[in-house]
């Protein structure tokens, strides 16, 4: 059972884009000697991005510029930024670590995660840009009750953002503790402070360029590493696979699927969370408001899908490269534990460190420093996007629309957003330190379940179903949100592993509840909307034709305010 849980935790870490590394072997890593080359490259990155933030701060004067960069980001730039927001250090280290551990199955998770993007492309991107302004709550509340739906959307966004932030902060602390040799709490504070600076002063423009810079660095590093691995085998994939089968303890089994998730219900549930959770992530959805029109939004997804797909192919090559070049190198194996744990489990720092050790194997200490700095920069880029999404939910949805009834001026709204960013940053630092010893894989899984069970159903049905009412969306959305939280807490991953209850006592038998919580959300939204005969329901239904025309044509949509 312990092995099964560790595999599932590793799967969650690899498959989810903003996952942390605190689960599994990496959490047990001890602080190592200070890696000065990594720290030097990290400081260069920070200095450069702070310069970008200073430039962005001078451009950011209005709410439109703060929340959406004035809609002046091109489709290509936004595509790279989305990829930067999506390609986390967990994807880079986690998926390559899974391939190192299990072979072919590591690719299943990256592909499973990638298939969420066609849904975003064909269902979400264009209508979202045509209907919204700053947050996805603008879309969900377009024809429904403003107060109720914005409160629901803000709750879904903030819970999702909170769990992502905790996972990222703990992941940053553990990563830097191992790679840079710094104390855990120092790394957490550094990430929190830089996140506050990027978002508070530069807004979406600074966040966008930080994500673009990080995406270019990550893709460059992964490309070089993959190229070096392939060059080692004369660019012959068959030779690489043959060597991997020869040296891996599982031999030919690493080329077969089905070792990570064998239960059909768990596989379907995980797949639903990966596919539909993507279309409900607030920090991803916000990116579609940074472009000038729906056509540019569609281009963004096209470019992002290409970059992300290419990146996941590279992680597969990196994983097999680690099998052939790291597993066979005694320098990266803890010889003291090989006899008891086996050679696979004796990798220094755990299997999540496979890509980092491979960087050292193919490029020496300098390239190791580069990859370490890029991994940390990746976390900075992701938390910046999360913080901005959370701050927008507080300032635009709750403060400006719910509390001030749409009468708040832009400067007040921006000020509230900056205060919210500081509070979120401080909260993230505190929670990151408090949760240092916790397995946070369930937090990331919970974030995806909430996005798929609360945000996505309300967003989808508000755009495409005439019968949706405010009451149906409110009740069904909150039932999806609450059921996702409750079922994750009652699952074996939390009830037994995290909370320490005896094995076999978990009230909910599956690791990922998306199949059940999404069903509850959709059925509840439909049922309570159909039964709703109130005057508000008549207004909700009557407003659909006008919304649908704008949704499909963009007539009346907000244009770019700056270029």
């Amino acid at each position: 059972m312990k092995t099964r849980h560790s595999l599932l935790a590793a799967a969650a870490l690899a498959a989810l884009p903003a996952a942390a590394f605190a689960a599994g072997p990496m959490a047990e890593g001890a602080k190592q000697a200070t890696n000065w080359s990594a720290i030097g490259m990290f400081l260069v990155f920070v200095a450069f991005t702070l310069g970008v933030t200073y430039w962005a701060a001078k451009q950011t004067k209005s709410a439109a510029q703060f929340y959406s960069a004035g809609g002046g980001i091109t489709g290509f730039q936004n595509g790279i930024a989305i990829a930067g927001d999506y390609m986390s250090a967990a994807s880079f280290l986690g998926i390559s670590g899974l391939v190192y551990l299990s072979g072919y199955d590591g690719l299943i998770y990256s592909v499973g995660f990638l298939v969420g993007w066609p849904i975003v492309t064909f269902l979400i991107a264009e209508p979202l840009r045509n209907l919204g302004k700053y947050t996805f709550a603008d879309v969900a509340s377009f024809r429904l009750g403003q107060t109720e739906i914005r409160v629901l959307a803000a709750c879904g966004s903030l819970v999702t953002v909170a769990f992502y932030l905790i996972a990222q902060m703990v992941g940053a602390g553990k990563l830097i503790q191992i790679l840079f040799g710094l104390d855990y709490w120092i790394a957490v504070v550094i990430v929190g402070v830089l996140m506050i600076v990027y978002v508070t002063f530069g807004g979406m423009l600074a966040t966008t360029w930080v994500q673009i810079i990080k995406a270019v660095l990550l893709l460059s590093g992964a490309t070089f590493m993959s190229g070096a691995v392939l060059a080692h085998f004369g660019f012959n994939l068959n030779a690489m696979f043959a060597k991997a089968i020869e040296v891996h303890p599982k031999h030919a089994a690493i080329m077969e699927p089905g070792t990570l998730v064998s239960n059909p219900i768990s596989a379907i549930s995980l797949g639903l969370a990966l596919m539909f959770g993507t279309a409900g992530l607030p920090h991803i959805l916000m990116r579609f408001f940074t472009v000038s029109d729906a056509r540019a939004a569609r281009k963004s997804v096209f470019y992002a899908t290409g970059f992300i797909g290419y990146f996941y192919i590279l992680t597969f090559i990196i994983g097999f490269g680690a099998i052939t070049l790291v597993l066979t190198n005694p320098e990266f194996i803890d010889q003291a534990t090989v006899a008891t744990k086996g050679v696979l489990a004796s990798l220094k720092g755990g299997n999540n460190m496979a890509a980092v050790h491979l960087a050292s194997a193919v490029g020496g200490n300098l390239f190791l420093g580069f990859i370490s700095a890029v991994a940390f920069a990746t976390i900075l880029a992701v938390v910046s996007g999360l913080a901005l999404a959370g701050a927008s939910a507080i300032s635009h949805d709750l403060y400006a629309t719910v509390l001030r009834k749409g009468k708040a001026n832009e400067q007040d709204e921006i000020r509230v957003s900056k205060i919210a960013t500081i509070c979120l940053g401080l909260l993230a630092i505190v929670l990151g330190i408090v949760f240092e010893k916790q397995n946070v894989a369930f937090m990331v899984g919970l974030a995806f379940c909430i996005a798929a069970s609360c945000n996505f159903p309300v967003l989808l049905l508000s755009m495409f179903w005439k019968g949706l009412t405010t009451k149906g969306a409110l009740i069904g959305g909150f039932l999806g949100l609450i059921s996702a939280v409750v079922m994750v807490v009652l699952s074996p991953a939390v009830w037994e592993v995290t909370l320490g209850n005896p094995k076999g006592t978990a009230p909910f038998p599956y690791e990922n509840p998306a199949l059940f919580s999404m069903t509850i959300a959709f059925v509840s939204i439909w049922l309570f909307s159909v039964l709703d005969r109130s005057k508000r329901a008549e207004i909700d239904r009557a407003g659909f034709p006008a919304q649908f025309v704008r949704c499909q044509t963009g007539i009346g949509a907000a244009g770019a305010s700056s270029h």
Side-chain angles (χ1 to χ4, degrees), residues 306-323:
F307 287 125
I308 295 165
Y310 171 68
F311 171 74
Y312 281 144
I313 291 172
L314 296 182
T315 58
F316 189 59
I317 296 172
I318 290 168
F320 271 92
I323 294 173

Side-chain angles (χ1 to χ4, degrees), residues 195-385:
M195 173 187 78
I196 291 170
V197 171
Y198 290 150
V199 178
T200 303
F201 294 102
M204 179 57 88
L205 188 59
T207 300
T208 296
W209 281 102
V210 168
Q211 289 164 345
I212 289 173
I213 294 165
K214 163 252 162 159
V216 171
L217 289 174
L218 185 59
L219 286 169
S220 301
T223 299
F224 174 82
M225 200 186 304
S226 300
V229 170
L230 291 175
H232 184 80
F233 293 98
F235 294 93
N236 186 335
L237 284 173
N238 286 334
M240 182 181 73
F241 291 140
K243 180 66 174 177
I245 291 171
E246 177 191 333
V247 301
H248 199 282
K250 297 179 183 178
H251 299 296
I254 63 171
M255 303 306 291
E256 299 170 2
T259 59
L260 288 176
V261 178
S262 54
N263 184 302
I265 293 179
S266 295
I268 293 170
S269 198
L270 176 63
L272 287 173
L274 298 181
M275 289 173 62
F276 298 107
T278 306
L281 296 175
H283 63 297
I284 297 294
L285 297 177
M286 271 192 78
R287 295 234 50 91
F288 295 113
F289 304 122
T290 65
V291 293
S292 57
D293 53 33
R295 183 182 179 187
R298 189 170 61 247
K299 281 185 178 179
S300 299
V301 187
F302 174 78
Y303 288 123
T305 306
F307 287 125
I308 295 165
Y310 171 68
F311 171 74
Y312 281 144
I313 291 172
L314 296 182
T315 58
F316 189 59
I317 296 172
I318 290 168
F320 271 92
I323 294 173
T324 56
L325 301 178
V326 173
L327 186 61
T328 56
N329 191 332
E331 179 187 345
F332 305 118
I333 306 296
D334 184 357
Q335 301 299 328
T337 61
V338 171
T340 54
K341 292 184 177 180
V343 67
L344 267 183
S346 297
L347 186 70
K348 291 179 179 177
N351 64 284
N352 282 319
M353 295 295 288
V356 176
H357 292 316
L358 182 63
S360 178
V362 301
N365 198 49
L366 191 64
F367 187 59
L368 170 65
F370 174 80
I371 290 298
S372 301
V374 167
F376 196 35
T378 295
I379 292 175
L380 282 178
V382 175
V383 296
S384 297

Side-chain angles (χ1 to χ4, degrees), residues 21 26 88-98 175 351-352 355-356 375:
F21 311 108
M26 194 164 185
S88 73
S91 294
F92 177 48
L93 302 182
I95 290 177
S96 54
L98 263 186
L175 185 67
N351 64 284
N352 282 319
V356 176

